[in-house]
Amino acid sequence: MILPLNAEVLARTYDYLCELPPFSKYNLPPSEDIKFTVIRSRKVFGRYFIDGGVHHIEISRANVGSHIVLLSTMSHEILHLHLEEVGACDMHGPVFQKFADRICKIHGFDRLTF
């Protein structure tokens, strides 16, 4: 079964993760302040970017078909958002990797695919 992804599902996934460690300590913006979009790209699972001061999280319907992949992908994009907010955005560099290690350990995500 393909997950019925839409902007509302993505926002609720974000809200759910924001209630859990380590995200609950990150002082993240509310989901209402983020533009969530479902995309069809086969090249990426998800994308985060900021445009005009608005945070955007896009999740690919083509690549995200299970709950665990949705949670892992959203967590990855939330980490990008968090690092942007604290001025430590280094794409997938050492700072990102340190946070990613902790997130994957807490949530049991596959570190190789995170």
Side-chain angles (χ1 to χ4, degrees):
M1 177 185 129
I2 296 175
L3 288 177
L5 298 179
N6 60 45
E8 182 68 18
V9 168
L10 299 182
R12 295 307 127 231
T13 302
Y14 173 90
D15 289 338
Y16 168 70
L17 287 165
C18 286
E19 293 296 320
L20 303 172
F23 307 112
S24 59
K25 303 290 187 201
Y26 289 179
N27 195 30
L28 294 162
S31 58
E32 295 80 20
D33 293 348
I34 301 167
K35 179 159 176 52
F36 294 96
T37 307
V38 177
I39 59 175
R40 296 178 187 217
S41 174
R42 292 202 176 274
K43 294 181 180 181
V44 298
F45 281 70
R47 281 192 284 240
Y48 164 78
F49 62 95
I50 189 164
D51 184 29
V54 177
H55 297 288
H56 294 257
I57 293 178
E58 300 178 336
I59 303 293
S60 173
R61 177 187 324 271
N63 290 327
V64 177
S66 71
H67 293 237
I68 192 66
V69 175
L70 173 59
L71 292 171
S72 178
T73 303
M74 182 63 74
S75 294
H76 182 107
E77 303 314 324
I78 290 172
L79 177 52
H80 283 301
L81 186 156
H82 171 63
L83 293 177
E84 174 70 32
E85 286 273 285
V86 299
C89 189
D90 70 345
M91 291 307 291
H92 296 114
V95 173
F96 181 93
Q97 297 303 324
K98 179 182 171 190
F99 279 87
D101 287 342
R102 182 160 186 253
I103 291 166
C104 289
K105 183 176 180 180
I106 290 169
H107 291 279
F109 299 142
D110 183 343
R111 186 62 182 90
L112 294 176
T113 61
F114 189 83

